Every structure is written in structure tokens, then in C-alpha cells.
Amino acid sequence: MIERNGFRYSEPKTVTSDAETAAWKRLDQKCMPPRAMGLLERVAVRIAAIQNTDAPQLTNPEVFIAAGDHGVMAHKVSFSPQDISWQHSINMAKGGGLCGLFAKKYALPLRVFDVGVKHDFSPEDGVVSCKVAYGTEDMLEGPAMTLEQCLKAMEAGRDQVASAAARGCNTIIFGEMGIGNTTPAAALTMAILHKPVEVCVGSGTGMGPKALEHKRSIVKAAAERHYDENCNAIELMARLGGYELAFIMGGMLEAAGQGMVILLDGFIVTAAALLAHKLDERVRDYMVACHVSNEPGHALQLEHLRLEPILRAGFCLGEGSGAILAWPLVKAAVDILNEMNSYDDGNLDNATEALNQAKAQDDSLSLS
């Protein structure tokens, strides 16, 4: 275990290039032209590097949905009523919503965690209680959470991921539920990336120009009030974040320490990833970006993390949905590496060698 800024988690190993090199060599022996599958090959190699083997396996993947409410909703930063947070948490826990639908179709166990929802769930709701508080405080009036509350939410994420690892899970998808949570996600993004509010705050679920301008004013005011270049990642999360974001942040740090593949969803989850990366840069090497959303700040987040998204499909639902929908492609990437036959398997001439020889001859030609 390692401790940083008061948070203890399993220390991630440094990812090296040895397995990456071996994976590329293995792909070059497959019955296809080199790099014919583009991004899928790069995803396969990234996962090989994470697992330090040229034959990686994705075992017992799980979906974690963290839920929380936000005091900043006092400023009407979302058109949706706050009760949707608890209602849809139950809906997802019972297999509803898009994430519930496709998690079932792809046989991905999905768990919903109440970290800070303004509601008391009953056992039959199927929501796992990790409750720290009934929503954050209004971040325009003061910190969203105390440091102790933020750490407690992070520890809940850490412990739940450690339990998943003990179940044999080595691949995890994080999602979130919380009406208004694009506001803290945008404020955190603005603080980390030092970008103007206009590129960190989008229209979300169809805001008009006046509502968008209002939301941007709230995000800017919060970021300006709480940002301090000397504050650490946990202090920043406590000031501007949310309980579900802190849960995901702590979960990602533990997932990296457990050697797990972290499949990133959209803008809100990636905001938590920015904070995890700020605390420990090694966690970034365990991440795979599943898609880039319509939120303008999401592309900037991924650029900061140097991650290439698998899908560009205009998703903006959140809740882990984009990562769940990308799952078949992530699995296909690893299947290419492990299951596709090679030239030797098929008793075929090695086209890769022939192509390399032809390229070398072409490069040697001099034009006059």
C-alpha cells in the first residue's frame, strides 16, 4: 500500500514497453496486412502493456455506477429534477436504462453504489449503500465536501474495487448518476486544464443560450473561488467535486494498483480520472478511453491524458453507457491478439515480411 495526501491504496506498478513490443511482434504475424485493424490493434497493445504479457485476458469485467447529489443544484444548473438521481439509481440497479440494457446483453455485472444521494434506499432497491452524506454542499457557498468526507468516499471506491479484484475482476467500467454533476465535473476540468469556461461547459441535455450562460457563470465562479495552485488533488476534489466523483477517483487509483484495465466513459468519469492522474500519474497507463462525448471539455480531458478514444459517436448520456457500448470492441481487440490465426498457423506466405521488403526497396529508390 502507498499513501498520498492522506489516501491509502495499492501502489500501481510502472507500465513498461517490453510487453508492448512483444504484442506488436505478435500482431505482425497475424494473417492480415500490418496495422490493418488500426485502433483495435493499438488497444490490444495497450492492454498487453497493462498486463505485462503479449497474451492479455479480460476476465470477469464489472460495471460500477456511483451515485450522488449536488448542492449546486440550488442554482438551477440542470433542468432535470433532483429526484431523478435516486429514481434512476434504482432503475439501473434493476437492469433499466441504456446501461442496464446493454450490461445485460453483454453479460456485464452492474452494481449501483449510493455514495451521496439525497434519499434513503431500501434493501429491495438493489442499490449498494456507501453513503457518506445526503448530497454535497453548495460549492458557491463553501467546499462541496470536507476533506474527511471526500476521503471516506474515495475509500469506499477503493474498497469496492478491491472486492471486485478478489472476485477475479481485472477489467472495470466506471459510470455515474447524479443530476447536476456536469457542473462539478466542468469546474474540476477547468481547474486542472486551466482552460476557459466556454470550452469546459457544454449545453448538456439541450440547454438554450441563456441557461448555458448561467451554468457557465456558476462553474466559473466556483472554480475561481476554490482553485489554488498549491492545493493537492484530494483538496481540489473536496472543494469542487462530488461524492460519486470521489468514489470513482479512489476506485481508479485502487484499480491501477490491482493491475486492472480501466475503461473510461464520458466527461464526468474522465473528470474523476483527471484528479486520479493528478494524485498519481501512473494511473493513466491503466486507462482505455472508450469514447469521446459531445461535451466539448471531454476531448480536452482525453488530450491532457494522452488517450485516444475508440468511439466518436456523439454520445452524451453518461452513466457508463459509452464504455459499455465500446466493450465488444475492447474484447475484439484482445481476441485479435489471442485468437486470430497467424501465417504459420495457416501455412501461408508471410505477407508482412513481403510488405516490409517492398517498402525497404521503395525507400532505397532515388528520384532524379
Side-chain angles (χ1 to χ4, degrees), residues 85-106:
S85 295
W86 69 262
Q87 291 170 1
H88 201 43
S89 293
I90 297 172
N91 183 44
M92 289 187 291
K94 293 182 178 296
L98 190 142
C99 64
L101 169 66
F102 283 96
K104 285 187 292 186
K105 284 188 174 293
Y106 300 149

Side-chain angles (χ1 to χ4, degrees), residues 9-150:
Y9 58 101
S10 298
E11 183 170 12
K13 293 180 180 178
T14 300
V15 174
T16 67
S17 62
D18 293 346
E20 183 177 317
T21 300
W24 279 124
K25 288 180 178 178
R26 192 172 180 199
L27 282 170
D28 285 343
Q29 301 305 309
K30 300 299 182 180
C31 289
M32 62 180 178
R35 312 304 173 255
M37 291 308 296
L39 177 57
L40 287 195
E41 292 185 66
R42 297 192 291 278
V43 170
V45 169
R46 185 170 187 83
I47 294 172
I50 290 169
Q51 297 187 2
N52 195 29
T53 174
D54 65 352
Q57 301 292 327
L58 302 175
T59 57
N60 300 315
E62 296 191 16
V63 180
F64 275 19
I65 308 292
D69 278 313
H70 298 271
V72 74
M73 277 291 290
H75 302 279
K76 299 181 180 179
V77 292
S78 172
F79 293 142
S80 299
Q82 197 166 47
D83 281 352
I84 288 179
S85 295
W86 69 262
Q87 291 170 1
H88 201 43
S89 293
I90 297 172
N91 183 44
M92 289 187 291
K94 293 182 178 296
L98 190 142
C99 64
L101 169 66
F102 283 96
K104 285 187 292 186
K105 284 188 174 293
Y106 300 149
L108 296 169
L110 183 149
R111 291 176 169 83
V112 179
F113 300 94
D114 167 23
V115 197
V117 180
K118 197 174 181 179
H119 181 76
D120 287 312
F121 294 96
S122 61
E124 57 267 25
D125 291 333
V127 176
V128 181
S129 179
C130 297
K131 192 184 290 292
V132 178
Y134 290 88
T136 59
E137 299 298 319
D138 180 359
M139 63 183 180
L140 254 63
E141 301 297 326
M145 300 170 276
T146 67
L147 279 174
E148 291 76 16
Q149 289 171 325
C150 185

Side-chain angles (χ1 to χ4, degrees), residues 68-313:
D69 278 313
H70 298 271
V72 74
M73 277 291 290
H75 302 279
K76 299 181 180 179
V77 292
S78 172
F79 293 142
S80 299
Q82 197 166 47
D83 281 352
I84 288 179
S85 295
W86 69 262
Q87 291 170 1
H88 201 43
S89 293
I90 297 172
N91 183 44
M92 289 187 291
K94 293 182 178 296
L98 190 142
C99 64
L101 169 66
F102 283 96
K104 285 187 292 186
K105 284 188 174 293
Y106 300 149
L108 296 169
L110 183 149
R111 291 176 169 83
V112 179
F113 300 94
D114 167 23
V115 197
V117 180
K118 197 174 181 179
H119 181 76
D120 287 312
F121 294 96
S122 61
E124 57 267 25
D125 291 333
V127 176
V128 181
S129 179
C130 297
K131 192 184 290 292
V132 178
Y134 290 88
T136 59
E137 299 298 319
D138 180 359
M139 63 183 180
L140 254 63
E141 301 297 326
M145 300 170 276
T146 67
L147 279 174
E148 291 76 16
Q149 289 171 325
C150 185
L151 283 167
K152 188 174 179 180
M154 290 177 65
E155 288 161 359
R158 174 199 65 197
D159 294 346
Q160 291 295 336
V161 167
S163 294
R167 293 192 291 270
C169 169
N170 77 353
T171 306
I172 191 156
I173 292 171
F174 287 101
E176 41 61 43
M177 183 64 230
I179 296 302
N181 63 6
T182 56
T183 296
L188 290 168
T189 300
M190 188 177 170
I192 293 288
L193 302 187
H194 307 294
K195 297 288 186 181
V197 69
E198 289 78 13
V199 297
C200 294
V201 181
S203 59
T205 54
M207 278 189 167
K210 289 184 179 179
L212 177 58
E213 185 60 31
H214 169 69
K215 182 176 178 179
R216 284 174 173 167
S217 70
I218 297 299
V219 170
K220 184 177 180 182
E224 289 177 348
R225 169 171 183 154
H226 293 295
Y227 177 70
D228 176 351
E229 63 181 10
N230 296 316
C231 72
N232 62 49
I234 296 176
E235 289 170 337
L236 192 58
M237 177 61 81
R239 295 177 187 186
L240 289 171
Y243 290 111
E244 75 274 43
L245 289 160
F247 178 101
I248 293 167
M249 177 186 174
M252 286 180 176
L253 289 159
E254 181 64 21
Q258 295 284 349
M260 299 167 80
V261 178
I262 302 168
L263 301 183
L264 292 184
D265 188 46
F267 179 65
I268 298 157
V269 165
T270 310
L274 290 178
L275 273 292
H277 176 257
K278 180 175 172 64
L279 188 74
D280 191 329
E281 291 186 354
R282 291 171 294 184
V283 72
R284 173 255 173 205
D285 293 333
Y286 292 83
M287 297 175 180
V288 174
C290 289
H291 75 110
V292 58
S293 79
N294 269 353
E295 280 292 320
H298 193 204
L300 297 174
Q301 293 171 334
L302 296 179
E303 180 182 336
H304 179 81
L305 292 169
R306 307 186 316 280
L307 296 174
E308 181 181 17
I310 296 172
L311 296 174
R312 298 177 183 272

